[in-house]
Amino acid sequence: MEPKTVVKEKFFIVIRGKSRKGFCRGCIGRVETETQHGELMGLLYCSGANAGSPKSGGIVRREDTYPLTRHQAQLLLFVSSTSKRLELLCNPQLFSAICELSPDDLVVVKHKKGHLPGMVKNLMQIGRKENKDDLHMLGFEVEFVDNDHNLSSKKPAPLPLFSAADIVQVIPSYSVPLGLHWRDGQCGGLKKAVTRINSMPSIGSRAHQVRENQEQSVIQSRSLTKPHAPLEVGSMVEVMSNSGITVYGVVRWLGVPAGKTNEWAGIELDYEVNGCSDGKYGIQRYFTCKGNRALFVPVTKCSPDSRFVYSSTGRETPKPTEAPPVPPFEDSEEDASPIPESQALSLLVGRMKGIQGHINSCYLDATLFSLFSSSVTLDNICKKPADTEQPITCTLRKVVNRLRRQGFVPAESVMNFRKQLGCDTFQTEEKDPEEFITVLFQKVLCLEPLLKLRSRRETSQGAYTLQIFLEKEQIGHVPTVQQLLEASCLSGDLKFEEMPSCLMVQMPRFGNKYKMFSHIIPSTELDITDLLHNAPRECFVCGHLAEYECLQCLPDRKLQPGRIKQYCTTCNTQVHSHLTRQGHSPRDLEVPADVASDTPVPRHMMQLFAVLCIQTSHYVSFVKYGPDPHSWLFFDSMADRCGDDQSGYNIPEIRACPELGDFLSQSEEELAQANPSQAPELVRRLLCDSYMFLYQNPAPPLSKPNHQEP
């Protein structure tokens, strides 16, 4: 079928999917044609030395892309790291503010000296446009602020250029502290490949003007609908920037500062903010406070502190901090499917996303999010006939459906579930995930144990999670989950009676302080072939049918230490003829009688889909939301808090974590040599704080409900 020609200029970034015909995740392209089958054919823009110059075209599915304006594409092109481009897109509030930056806006940028405040001077075009298809990259020229709150440039010199990914905070010019005295900077010596745009793009200017008009309308609306008490010294106020950042403080000074014609307020903030002063404006001191806490703004930008209300006498009276409004939710009879990979980022990433924590609930929040957000393994637990469900099962189903449809579950919905768990301690006290998991599967879902474990010459026993037990000397200093599982099962003489649909492996640590290993390497795939009872296994040496296994060979440095060892009769004799192994005691395996010695042994693999982590009694989770190696999310049900312990509420947050995929794609040897202290923050947390790894069978038979005949 003939493609449809696209006339209007369209740009896009690839956000998911495997590399295909020139395009990969994080690449930026321009649409040339679009087929009726939902595929985009376009030009791919390079990065690096040839950035902005398109190379040969490629094909990508439309659903794997995110549309960009020309301005957005130019900003992202200057971000050399494709993972950082995607990370920036996952923070739409910040990226939108960056796209609308105007001259004199105050920003905080990442610098080798740390996060530094500065003022945007110009938007810079980088690169030469040698033909009509070339696209200039765009960066920001920023002038830093020194410790005395003046611009740091001492003489005309080229100002540093920063990409959109280098900006971590945006504050509009109206809320720049007056202690920061801006002056016109002069810049020279720029390379010919970099040209200055004298004014910011019209999209930014228009947006900034519209934003100010909207804010003025909001202020007028507030004054008409709810009169405020007169602003005076001592009033508690809040100031919100265009990027949505709200700061709180107390008015310490009111008046008209030098160089201004209208009334301004000097505010002492509740906490330090980079770029603020200690009460000075320019060379004039208006009040005194701790450093980085004095903010000067027009009084029209101040609103009464929303954490307080006014009584009829005009006095401020504290009130409990109210949570932001939650969209109404009406549960339908049809259960929501697990969140697909194509929708996960738009639905889940951001603040007030996921499950809202409340009163020591982080263990439960992290576990529920890990099990039910994207995994299909346990999906049918919510699909029992409604007339056979217990009330608590219905409550859980509503929580899961709300998470999958809205991307957010308020604390009160989860508290309703906690109240029905049968023990008051689930409402107030800290718990471990394994205790909650047992209650969840046994009492709430009425499922048989997920694991059937058999010890030598004994009947099988059921369990919902598997705790790793072993001596530290049995394994290396930096083990993988695969090595820990094999060593633990072999030393405990345990085998799986059957292939589990879901395997939750608890790491060897006790409480929130003692850890047997400083960090553990995740195994993205878990091979349990050699841990299945009465299943054929291949010889570690020659690959033929194994008849013996040896625990003492596990740590042998000459035989891949940490890997389980089983041998055929011939190799068992040869291996244990070595002087250092003559004292070993290999054990017979139960070999199926109908399997020939040279029959290929099928491998039984499980896939990692979530990791629970703990740090100082606080649980968080990492969740794999799709098949793409980079499709990882980080979830914290109590990432931040608004208000105090008595009247505030927790702010849950979900962050995209594609860097974890980059890290785990390395070879086992590279992973073993990795230094967690040099890894990205979230990667380090997973390596050092892992508590439980959750694996699923790609094609699992679900465990049977209790009280039903097989």
Side-chain angles (χ1 to χ4, degrees), residues 339-357:
I339 301 170
E341 184 179 38
S342 60
Q343 300 176 18
L345 292 180
S346 58
L347 180 65
L348 292 174
V349 170
R351 288 164 67 85
M352 295 304 287
K353 293 288 187 178
I355 301 173
Q356 185 180 30

Side-chain angles (χ1 to χ4, degrees), residues 410-427:
E412 55 267 24
S413 296
V414 182
M415 180 56 78
N416 291 336
F417 174 66
R418 295 168 69 185
K419 289 178 179 178
Q420 300 178 52
L421 287 174
C423 180
D424 290 343
T425 58
F426 279 108
Q427 302 177 41

